[in-house]
Amino acid sequence: MSDYRDVTPNQSTESAKEVAKYIVNYLRHPLERIRQLPDWKWTVLIVVQVLVSMASGVLTGLVPPNFYGVMSGIIISPMVGVVTGFIGALFIYYYFQVFEHRTCSLRKIFTLILFANIPFFIFQVGSELIPPISLVGFAFTALLMAVGLTENFQMEKRRSLRLVTVLFAIVFILWLWNRIDVARMG
């Protein structure tokens, strides 16, 4: 029997410190970091998605201070963040299969969506005070998506811009519809 123990670091294991370091670097240089996405496990991606969604939801509930808004940020925002992240990833995944005639990693697509959505989550905090600010955040998200699709998935720049423009238009229509509903109720 050999008492051999492999002490080489496992490349797929991410420590909380490494994850935090990547996120801080991403916040400093989003265009640079969106070009080089991390290769994290699903559990790490889900935890990061939940924490980012929760932080955004809680901060949104604090501007202006609202107990129900904070509780919604703790409970509802993470669920919505994960579900919309998966829906977006599945949409892009099947887009690649149908229109690009190739299969890309769903995990890598989810990673792109997670990081591209961070500006939206940041701008969402001020949406109660200035509702259109969430569209500004989504515009930054669209820009990062276009860069990420081009750099990480070798998608033609023109096609990636067209795709994110269509997605932005859909989000804008949904946002406008929501604003009209809010105005009718108020």
Side-chain angles (χ1 to χ4, degrees), residues 80-110:
V80 170
V82 170
V83 169
T84 57
F86 272 115
I87 290 170
L90 286 171
F91 176 82
I92 301 291
Y93 178 82
Y94 287 113
Y95 172 87
F96 275 118
Q97 288 194 353
V98 172
F99 296 105
E100 301 283 326
H101 306 293
R102 60 191 170 116
T103 300
C104 295
S105 165
L106 181 62
R107 186 168 44 103
K108 190 170 183 178
I109 295 169
F110 185 84

Side-chain angles (χ1 to χ4, degrees), residues 22 53 81 96 104 109 168 184:
Y22 183 87
S53 301
F96 275 118
C104 295
I109 295 169
F168 185 84
R184 284 184 190 161

Side-chain angles (χ1 to χ4, degrees), residues 91 138 160-173:
F91 176 82
F138 196 74
S160 67
L161 288 171
R162 201 174 296 150
L163 176 62
V164 297
T165 301
V166 167
L167 292 174
F168 185 84
I170 292 168
V171 167
F172 178 75
I173 290 167

Side-chain angles (χ1 to χ4, degrees), residues 38-156:
D39 187 19
W40 294 342
K41 291 188 241 176
W42 277 110
T43 53
V44 173
L45 292 171
I46 300 298
V47 167
V48 170
Q49 177 70 58
V50 165
L51 292 175
V52 168
S53 301
M54 190 180 295
S56 174
V58 167
L59 290 173
T60 301
L62 291 172
V63 180
N66 177 346
F67 174 76
Y68 296 108
V70 171
M71 293 312 293
S72 173
I74 293 171
I75 298 166
I76 305 294
S77 292
M79 289 188 287
V80 170
V82 170
V83 169
T84 57
F86 272 115
I87 290 170
L90 286 171
F91 176 82
I92 301 291
Y93 178 82
Y94 287 113
Y95 172 87
F96 275 118
Q97 288 194 353
V98 172
F99 296 105
E100 301 283 326
H101 306 293
R102 60 191 170 116
T103 300
C104 295
S105 165
L106 181 62
R107 186 168 44 103
K108 190 170 183 178
I109 295 169
F110 185 84
T111 305
L112 172 62
I113 289 185
L114 165 64
F115 284 102
N117 275 326
I118 288 177
F120 173 75
F121 286 123
I122 292 170
F123 280 89
Q124 187 67 19
V125 172
S127 66
E128 282 296 318
L129 300 174
I130 309 166
I133 202 160
S134 58
L135 291 175
V136 173
F138 196 74
F140 282 114
T141 291
L143 170 70
L144 290 170
M145 280 292 295
V147 171
L149 287 168
T150 303
E151 297 292 326
N152 292 290
F153 300 98
Q154 290 68 48
M155 188 175 187
E156 185 182 315

